Amino acid sequence: MNSSLIATKLYIPRPPVDLVSRPRLLEKLDNALQQGCGLIVLSAPAGAGKTTLLSEWIDSPISDKNTQFSWISLDEGDNDSAHFMAYLLAAIQTVIPHFGESFPIGLQSLQPAQMEALMTLMINELSGLTNRLILVLDDYHLIHTQKVHSTLAFLLEHRPWNFHLVIAARADPSLPVALLRSRGMMTEIRLGDLRFTPAETASLMKLLLDRQLPDDDVLALTSRTEGWAAGLQMAAASMRESEDISAFIRDFSGSNRFILDYLVEQVLQQQPPFVQEFLFKTSILERLCPPLCETLVEIHLSPEDIHSLGLPDSLNAGSPSSQAVLEYLERSNLFIVPLDDHRCWYRYHHLFTDLLGQRLHQLHPQSIPELHCRAARWFAQNGFMAEAIDHALEGKDFETAANWVEEVVEKTMMRSEVVTFLDWVERLPEPFIKDRPLLCINHAWAMLLNGYPGEMIEARLEILDNADDLFTGKTLSLRGYLAIFRGQNSQAIAFAKQAMELLPKQDSFFRSLSAVVLGAALYSEGDEKAGAQAIEMAARVSMGMGNVMIQVIVLVYLAELYRKQGQLHKAYSLYQQALERATQEKGKKLPIAGRVLLGMGEILREWNNPRAEEVLLEGIELSGQWGSVSTLSGFFSLAHIFMAQNNWAKANDLAQKARQLAYYSNITEIDDLIVDIFQARLWIEQGNLSAAREWFMTEGLYRDIDIDEMEKKDDFIAYHMRKYEYPVAMRLWLAEGRFIEAQAFLEGLLIKLEKWERPLLVIENRILLALALYGQRKIEPAINQLEIALRLAEPEGFIRIFLNEGETLHALLKLTVDKLETTSLRVYGQRLLQAFSSGVIQSEKREISEKPSALIEPLSDREMDVLRLLASSLSTPEIATELVVSVHTVRSHIKNIYSKLDVHNRIGAVERGKELGLL
Amino acid sequence: MTRANTLVNEPTIYEIRVKGRLDEKWSEWFHNLTIHFENENPPVTVLKGAIADQSMLRSILNKLWDLNLTLLSVNVNN
């Protein structure tokens, strides 16, 4: 387990010795599991018996052998979602030892944006388990950050059938429970359920007091405490020494005093003074262990004390007494909860901590800071830095706290525990921060990550202007990052360039951050080439960082840039690199590979490669696990394949799916518009021109299109989307025979697109222009336009972009090919004609022989070894001997090789290996 | 910040009613609100005083909740 985690938080509390079994509630819990409820919520105030009920349930003998439980006792620190995820993983590892070990994302370098990706990996691994896993999150009311809530909501939404979440909290959790409730996917146990019935009260009293109470007393107690477990327990503790129990109950029932005040006083009064002192002073602790208690309170037990506490005589006077007191408290049921099985760590019941704290405040307010400082020192000496810092801050020893925060800040940020760090800094007064540049720079970065107002970040960075030169580069890269958020691209570019000059090579984190800033700023300024270069550099720098997820994301981002620019080969090879990194040893692909496959599938589709469909389907499946909007593009690519096969039912079905996906995602309006555009295209292809016409009319794209709209940066949607709407509108005009209008518009559009360097769109619109001219019987100009398109498209091997325009283009292409003078272009044209007539193009030998790794999934080194031996005359057992592995292992390699090469036997594998240049 | 927000963040006198009788010694625990027993049957206690802003009000309500006190009403006293 990560050494910064506190093991006691994962301890499943044992049911107390004096347990009143609650079969009616256990049954409810068991039923919830049987009905497949994903979520069980126990929502009731402190001391209502939530934790005890759960510990009884977990301990109960009827629990299915195949059911395993993990537990996290949450605290304030878990509001940091990285921290929370670390505990989530550790909790599962308590029952599934190697869980998550193969995850390529280390928690040490977890970025906030990767939380969902990590959650997806967890969900995948969970769904592969044969056992049922129940995760209990106790004290969930302490969680108030949206990030943790949404991480859990994501888990619930995608939970595998064998995973159940149990949440115990004082208030209803901020999760989308209404939906789960209405689907019957959630079971609730509320205060009303947890209240002790008179019969349960009677059993509890019998256990605690060792006697049967008269019915009247039981009813009075139940009614005075309203069946509140903590109240009943305290009442029992007060009555234990009382001679006249009925008189106590009469008094208690007759009093209208706040029940806790009344009972705690009763309980405390019965304790010897040194136990009271112990309780008050240690109440500042979230968790306590004997050596820690000793630093806060000195107790020397006399033999009388030992006797009065009923402690074993073997305990010598003067021996470590905190242990004895803690054990006494545990035995007397005085609101202490053991946190492990070997009597090391304990905590007080939360309710009791508050009450003791309030008494301490009243009795010795001046002693509180000193107690915190002592605790801080103990925690620091024992390596619990987070708790040390918390106590130092509570004790107002800011100098020490700031020094400690400075010591751990880099590790804390590396673990992405941004919120934890922010909490510390925000509790430090300004004078203790401003002279510590390391705190300042990290504070600024943490605020940026958490979306703080720009002025606050700016103020923090200004302080750094006077700091060591060492920090100038870092400061500049953060200024650049901030400028991007403010839409000040030119400033961002200047900052990032300066930062990159100043930052030393080894500062790879700030260097790759600067490069991403530069790339993003250049790109949104319209300088796509330079933007791509910068992102390429970010990719190079991030490669050295050992963070797979960052590498894959940067590669995919870069590949998408190239794909949009029509540089298919370059994009494809980047996708291949990304796929390699997103594929685990056993060939299992990470969910991020979904996005990679969608990009590859789209390119394969453009190349008219029959494997496109299969690749897209896998990509859709994987990216669906993210619940991601990026699946949209996969639906469209696939739908285009079906359209090409005249399979309208399937294409329409996908349009419908895309519509739903866009509807449920509310990140931007753009996705809904993309679906509309696709739908319009689908209508046109199916000949439903009136539907398409109606849509374009409402979009204002039917007549007199204002072409300048696509350049208006202040109209976000127009600026980003018009260029995709125009070609579809043109197809409608062509279908309606409005050739002259279309020609005029396309000529204007092409001037702009060429200026923008949008080769992909240029090719598409050139083809449309050729058709507009052809429609007017302007044969020569039409041929010229198509030739330009062919020349642009030839180097990257575009095929479908021509084929999709159907028979009219087929006819025009026949006329064009004869006129082509360049040989290579004529060959290309003839290949297109062949594709037109056969529907599917023959496999591109040239393509493959130049690119030996044209495999979707490359062979691993070991598989290559096996493949080489398959080409020899060795038998399988002989191959095993040769490689010093078992026959079984060789067989599984062979199986993988066959599936990766898409062959069924040894001869096929060897042939395909040769074709691909692998042999 | 909008005008409405500024208003909400000005200190305001609140009266919070809880079920039962709460001792005056809890005053400090509840940001020095005055604690006063209002009604015997059914027993009601009133916590009253200036509350700086909404987050302070929230922390007080949380503390009441943590102590398992039943909240009856929260009023702004003009």
Side-chain angles (χ1 to χ4, degrees), chain A residues 170 228 256 258 261 362, chain B residues 21 25-26 40 65-66 68:
Chain A
R170 292 184 193 173
W228 182 42
N256 51 24
F258 172 38
D261 263 347
Q362 253 185 345
Chain B
R21 177 173 178 171
K25 64 176 188 237
W26 283 94
E40 189 71 39
W65 174 243
D66 285 344
N68 197 25

Side-chain angles (χ1 to χ4, degrees), chain A residues 805-820:
Chain A
E805 301 307 331
E807 277 313 305
T808 322
L809 191 77
H810 190 187
L812 178 59
L813 185 64
K814 276 182 199 158
L815 297 177
T816 310
V817 170
D818 294 336
K819 301 268 164 85
L820 291 172

Side-chain angles (χ1 to χ4, degrees), chain A residues 833-849:
Chain A
L833 286 177
Q834 203 183 340
F836 260 117
S837 32
S838 68
V840 172
I841 197 160
Q842 304 304 311
S843 77
E844 293 176 65
K845 290 263 189 221
R846 185 179 68 97
E847 211 66 64
I848 288 165
S849 60

Side-chain angles (χ1 to χ4, degrees), chain A residues 573-619:
Chain A
S573 95
L574 284 172
Y575 281 128
Q576 279 180 321
Q577 290 179 41
L579 189 64
E580 243 167 72
R581 289 184 170 78
T583 307
Q584 287 167 287
E585 266 177 35
K586 289 170 207 153
K588 201 174 152 195
K589 296 189 188 76
L590 304 175
I592 180 86
R595 208 158 146 195
V596 182
L597 290 171
L598 293 182
M600 287 180 125
E602 169 58 18
I603 294 177
L604 290 171
R605 183 196 69 79
E606 182 53 54
W607 285 341
N608 213 24
N609 187 314
R611 275 216 322 280
E613 181 175 340
E614 174 194 330
V615 173
L616 285 168
L617 281 172
E618 192 183 356

Side-chain angles (χ1 to χ4, degrees), chain A residues 58 108 130 215 298 385 431 441 463 470 575 640 749 874-875:
Chain A
I58 294 174
Q108 318 76 3
T130 43
D215 286 354
E298 274 177 47
M385 290 315 289
I441 193 84
I463 294 176
L470 211 71
Y575 281 128
H640 271 290
L749 178 61
L874 295 182
S875 66

Side-chain angles (χ1 to χ4, degrees), chain A residues 518-810:
Chain A
L518 184 61
L522 286 168
Y523 201 75
S524 37
E525 277 291 272
D527 189 348
E528 295 176 9
K529 261 192 208 154
Q533 269 170 15
I535 289 163
E536 223 166 332
M537 163 159 177
R540 265 200 312 278
V541 177
S542 68
M543 286 310 149
M545 285 172 57
N547 185 325
V548 176
M549 194 60 76
I550 284 195
Q551 293 172 16
V552 175
I553 287 169
V554 176
L555 284 171
V556 168
Y557 192 49
L558 198 54
E560 268 160 25
L561 286 185
Y562 282 127
R563 184 161 62 79
K564 282 180 191 154
Q565 288 178 352
Q567 301 197 39
L568 303 188
H569 288 112
K570 216 163 176 178
Y572 196 79
S573 95
L574 284 172
Y575 281 128
Q576 279 180 321
Q577 290 179 41
L579 189 64
E580 243 167 72
R581 289 184 170 78
T583 307
Q584 287 167 287
E585 266 177 35
K586 289 170 207 153
K588 201 174 152 195
K589 296 189 188 76
L590 304 175
I592 180 86
R595 208 158 146 195
V596 182
L597 290 171
L598 293 182
M600 287 180 125
E602 169 58 18
I603 294 177
L604 290 171
R605 183 196 69 79
E606 182 53 54
W607 285 341
N608 213 24
N609 187 314
R611 275 216 322 280
E613 181 175 340
E614 174 194 330
V615 173
L616 285 168
L617 281 172
E618 192 183 356
I620 288 170
E621 198 195 318
L622 279 170
S623 60
Q625 293 172 3
W626 287 69
S628 150
V629 199
S630 65
T631 319
L632 271 186
S633 72
F635 287 156
F636 298 146
S637 300
L638 198 56
H640 271 290
I641 291 178
F642 293 137
M643 281 156 72
Q645 299 166 352
N646 288 327
N647 191 339
W648 303 111
K650 277 190 173 176
N652 282 320
D653 182 47
L654 283 167
Q656 207 52 44
K657 277 188 180 148
R659 168 78 59 206
Q660 275 171 14
L661 181 64
Y663 179 78
Y664 284 113
S665 103
N666 293 316
I667 304 166
T668 76
E669 294 168 48
I670 285 195
D671 45 19
D672 295 297
L673 183 55
I674 294 173
V675 178
D676 285 344
I677 298 172
F678 177 77
Q679 180 65 63
R681 173 91 187 257
L682 192 54
W683 279 326
I684 297 167
E685 303 285 335
Q686 288 178 90
N688 186 354
L689 299 190
S690 59
R693 198 174 296 137
E694 199 175 313
W695 184 75
F696 277 113
M697 279 177 178
T698 57
E699 278 287 293
L701 296 179
Y702 189 60
R703 281 190 198 286
D704 305 323
I705 299 179
D706 173 13
I707 196 167
D708 292 330
E709 260 190 342
M710 68 188 277
E711 287 175 320
K712 283 185 189 146
K713 286 196 181 181
D714 51 339
D715 184 344
F716 184 77
I717 292 208
Y719 182 64
H720 285 275
M721 297 308 297
R722 284 294 186 244
K723 54 182 176 286
Y724 301 114
E725 288 177 286
Y726 293 151
V728 183
M730 289 309 111
R731 287 189 179 86
L732 175 63
W733 291 12
L734 293 176
E736 290 176 335
R738 293 160 61 191
F739 301 118
I740 301 172
E741 276 174 84
Q743 179 196 340
F745 182 80
L746 284 163
E747 280 168 352
L749 178 61
L750 278 161
I751 291 172
K752 286 189 194 294
L753 290 173
E754 267 164 1
K755 193 177 74 198
W756 280 19
E757 298 191 51
R758 289 293 197 152
L760 188 56
L761 287 169
V762 169
I763 298 172
E764 183 179 4
N765 287 293
R766 284 270 168 224
I767 296 170
L768 293 174
L769 179 55
L771 289 172
L773 293 162
Y774 189 54
Q776 301 169 56
R777 297 282 132 214
K778 295 180 179 170
I779 309 294
E780 275 307 307
I783 288 176
N784 286 341
Q785 288 301 326
L786 189 56
E787 187 183 339
I788 298 175
L790 287 169
R791 189 162 301 149
L792 290 171
E794 192 257 348
E796 299 293 340
F798 283 88
I799 293 174
R800 286 283 5 151
I801 206 169
F802 296 98
L803 265 59
N804 286 350
E805 301 307 331
E807 277 313 305
T808 322
L809 191 77
H810 190 187

